[in-house]
Amino acid sequence: MLIERLKQIVGPKGWQTDAEALEPHLTEWRGVHRGNALIAVFPASTQEVAAVVEACHEAGVAIVPQGGNTGMCAGAVPDASGSQVLLCLSRMNAVRSIDPADFSLVAEAGCILSDLQEAAREHRRFFPLSLGGEGSCQIGGNVSTNAGGINVIRYGTARDLVLGVEVVLADGTVWDGIRTLRKDTAGYDLKQLFIGSEGTLGIVTAVALKLFPDPGQATTAFLRIPTADRAVRLLAHLRRELEDGIQAFELIGATAYELVQEHIPDAVSPFDSPSDWYVLLDTAIGPSPEPLERALAQALEAGLLTDAVIAKSEAEAGRLWRLRHSIAEAERRIGKGLKHDISVPIGSMQAFIEAGAARLADTVPEATLVVFGHVGDGNLHYNVVLPDGPDDDERLARKETVSRLVYDLVREMNGSISAEHGVGLLKRGWLGDYKSATELELMRALKRALDPTNTLNPGKVI
Ligand code: FAD
Ligand code: MLT
Ligand code: ZN
């Protein structure tokens, strides 16, 4: 019987069927979706993952891989049937090697992102992937979602940081693609298939990552901005003046900012009066804030901002970033707003914000818009909160109207309906409407080729 075989493979510490212990693994971070599992297994090695996958493949039982379960689209939780095996990578949390001279690191998939940042720091190296969930998300989940975060503007998304992957394929075969080469044109770049595939094409068990020279303590500034388009112009100005020394550049709308003040106890605004928009930025320009002060003074004169605070210490910078990183938590506390994790070309961002607000005001005047995001990447979290109420047919239809309105606008502006969170379960229904038939068929062909029995995370993405 499968359950007994799985228990044998992973040993007594490697499985859970107890309802209480399973609970945190069955509900996604925002509580939007809850599933059930036949069993949760916690393998401790690649060989154990491979044996689990082989056993499930032979038994015709589906597997849902789970990292830190911080994903935003219900990709890491099983369906409601209770027939799927949840495969949690958390016990595979070893850093296999760090090579400072090669600026590379090899780690198992279950390593917590902030632990890897720290491991790099101990060798005076920098691993730039950084996001609000970094204290609990895992590198395997980051790679499988092609996570973005705050430093994409300078270092790229997770995809740009991966040099190699080790993957267990749908029949249990292990592909050892761990290499730290910067150049390799010998055939197709297979690792790219698994990055961002949300556990539907293979289980990532280890990754080789790029490291960078330590840029030192960033200079952090928090700005009041009159309109969102000034943020785009300000970014261009600062990139020019600081010789591309911008490391993070985040836009925060007034509603998002107010939510944080209201719901996160120690989040305190450094400004006396409110603004419609704010920008939080980090620069990597060395220890002196002087070049940033000069560039911001020019921007103030040009009307690109109305006020600025530059952090005087690491602790103060930490407090400013806490304001930004708490937005997701503050949103979670007010309920289950409609999240739209979109991107448009940066030049279209202001037009998107204006047209979106106008169309939503016409269609759902009762809705509140919570807008923030990674403006330097053209990525906005364009979230819409409807007044509280039971999810009856009328409200569900209203939600669908809102999301369609947002996604239609994204399409008009040649954008994407998912910039960094992925598709998972929650956006799967939308993908068919916003990807071309050719793209969808190519995706299906890849899924059929790599997972012909639909064992890996079925029902997600495609
Ligand atoms: P999970 O949620 O466990 O899984 C995500 C998907 O990957 C699922 O489909 C799962 O099946 C699959 N998966 C997980 N591990 C593996 C594996 N080893 N092999 C194969 N498939 C696997 N995301 C951003 O991109 N940018 C942000 O700025 C950002 N900020 C966030 C802030 C907060 C406060 C929170 C809670 C989340 C944030 N996220 C952000 C979303 C989330 O943290 C990322 O998507 C993250 O990469 C998910 O990692 P995880 O380990 O939690 O993956
Ligand atoms: C963020 O940028 O804070 C995240 O992607 C999380 C979110 O969208 O809530
Ligand atoms: Zn984000």
Side-chain angles (χ1 to χ4, degrees):
M1 188 182 161
L2 178 68
I3 292 196
E4 289 314 314
R5 190 171 162 193
L6 294 178
K7 287 179 179 175
Q8 258 180 11
I9 292 168
V10 294
K13 286 190 193 150
W15 58 271
Q16 269 303 343
T17 49
D18 174 67
E20 207 177 313
L22 280 181
E23 193 49 41
H25 299 280
L26 299 179
T27 308
E28 60 87 57
W29 191 78
R30 300 176 65 224
V32 175
H33 178 82
R34 190 186 182 287
N36 285 307
L38 185 64
I39 184 172
V41 291
F42 300 77
S45 67
T46 303
Q47 291 66 35
E48 286 185 12
V49 175
V52 165
V53 175
E54 188 183 16
C56 292
H57 182 252
E58 281 172 16
V61 169
I63 298 169
V64 179
Q66 187 176 91
N69 196 18
T70 66
M72 294 284 180
C73 46
V77 282
D79 68 16
S81 68
S83 65
Q84 301 186 321
V85 171
L86 193 57
L87 194 161
C88 302
L89 280 299
S90 53
R91 286 176 77 210
M92 293 187 59
N93 59 1
V95 176
R96 287 188 186 164
S97 61
I98 297 190
D99 185 343
D102 190 46
F103 286 82
S104 66
L105 172 162
V106 178
E108 289 182 342
C111 286
I112 302 286
L113 175 56
S114 56
D115 291 345
L116 291 186
Q117 295 165 347
E118 186 52 38
R121 214 172 288 129
E122 279 166 16
H123 291 263
R124 297 186 50 234
R125 296 291 179 265
F126 181 57
F127 183 57
L129 189 65
S130 177
L131 43 102
E134 65 195 21
S136 43
C137 63
Q138 299 174 8
I139 194 65
N142 301 145
V143 168
S144 300
T145 53
N146 184 23
I150 59 169
N151 291 332
V152 173
I153 188 170
R154 190 172 173 85
Y155 295 97
T157 62
R159 185 181 299 284
D160 299 296
L161 304 172
V162 174
L163 293 167
V165 289
E166 178 187 85
V167 177
V168 173
L169 303 175
D171 63 356
T173 306
V174 179
W175 172 49
D176 180 0
I178 293 292
R179 286 159 210 148
T180 61
L181 305 172
R182 311 287 154 149
K183 288 180 141 185
D184 179 3
T185 54
Y188 301 144
D189 190 357
L190 296 175
K191 66 177 178 293
Q192 301 298 349
L193 288 177
F194 302 99
I195 302 172
S197 69
E198 301 180 54
T200 61
L201 301 181
I203 315 280
V204 176
T205 47
V207 291
L209 301 168
K210 272 184 209 169
L211 301 180
F212 294 83
D214 186 349
Q217 180 58 38
T219 302
T220 300
F222 200 41
L223 318 173
R224 286 162 43 103
I225 305 287
T227 58
D229 74 316
R230 308 285 163 98
V232 175
R233 284 162 54 197
L234 176 67
L235 174 61
H237 164 74
L238 292 179
R239 287 186 97 161
R240 198 175 50 241
E241 292 301 313
L242 302 176
E243 291 168 8
D244 227 10
I246 296 288
Q247 183 158 309
F249 194 90
E250 298 282 314
L251 180 69
I252 307 173
T255 328
Y257 196 60
E258 282 155 19
L259 273 183
V260 171
Q261 314 268 326
E262 206 175 314
H263 296 280
I264 306 296
D266 54 344
V268 183
S269 175
F271 298 117
D272 294 335
S273 54
S275 172
D276 285 344
W277 297 95
Y278 303 85
V279 160
L280 178 58
L281 64 87
D282 267 354
T283 59
I285 50 168
S288 166
E290 201 266 327
L292 177 63
E293 284 165 358
R294 199 174 45 235
L296 289 178
Q298 291 162 349
L300 186 70
E301 204 145 289
L304 298 181
L305 57 97
T306 56
D307 201 357
V309 166
I310 296 182
K312 287 181 202 66
S313 65
E314 213 174 320
E316 193 181 344
R319 282 194 293 277
L320 295 177
W321 273 105
R322 180 153 164 71
L323 288 166
R324 164 64 184 91
H325 283 319
S326 304
I327 299 174
E329 177 60 34
E331 275 193 306
R332 179 161 80 152
R333 293 193 191 179
I334 61 158
K336 301 179 179 81
L338 289 167
K339 277 183 102 66
H340 306 104
D341 155 44
I342 63 98
S343 59
V344 292
I346 296 172
S348 303
M349 197 163 275
Q350 176 66 11
F352 179 88
I353 290 171
E354 280 168 9
R359 289 186 199 182
L360 283 166
D362 275 354
T363 317
V364 276
E366 73 278 21
T368 306
L369 260 172
V370 182
V371 180
F372 61 100
H374 317 285
V375 71
D377 317 327
N379 172 196
L380 283 180
H381 297 303
Y382 196 78
N383 303 336
V384 183
V385 183
L386 296 173
D388 274 347
D391 260 341
D392 53 20
D393 287 353
E394 197 194 323
R395 193 173 145 93
L396 287 175
R398 222 153 175 66
K399 285 183 170 179
E400 170 143 358
T401 304
V402 168
S403 292
R404 191 167 295 285
L405 182 156
V406 173
Y407 292 149
D408 282 353
L409 188 56
V410 165
R411 176 163 51 198
E412 282 170 35
M413 297 192 170
N414 287 320
S416 168
I417 66 164
S418 177
E420 60 174 14
H421 293 162
V423 177
L425 181 71
L426 300 181
K427 278 185 237 135
R428 189 192 60 171
W430 292 105
L431 203 65
D433 291 349
Y434 295 94
K435 284 260 179 202
S436 72
T438 307
E439 277 173 295
L440 290 168
E441 192 36 46
L442 278 170
M443 286 176 68
R444 287 195 193 99
L446 285 170
K447 176 71 175 167
R448 279 194 299 268
L450 286 164
D451 182 18
T453 52
N454 206 14
T455 301
L456 299 177
N457 222 356
K460 311 289 170 50
V461 186
I462 186 92

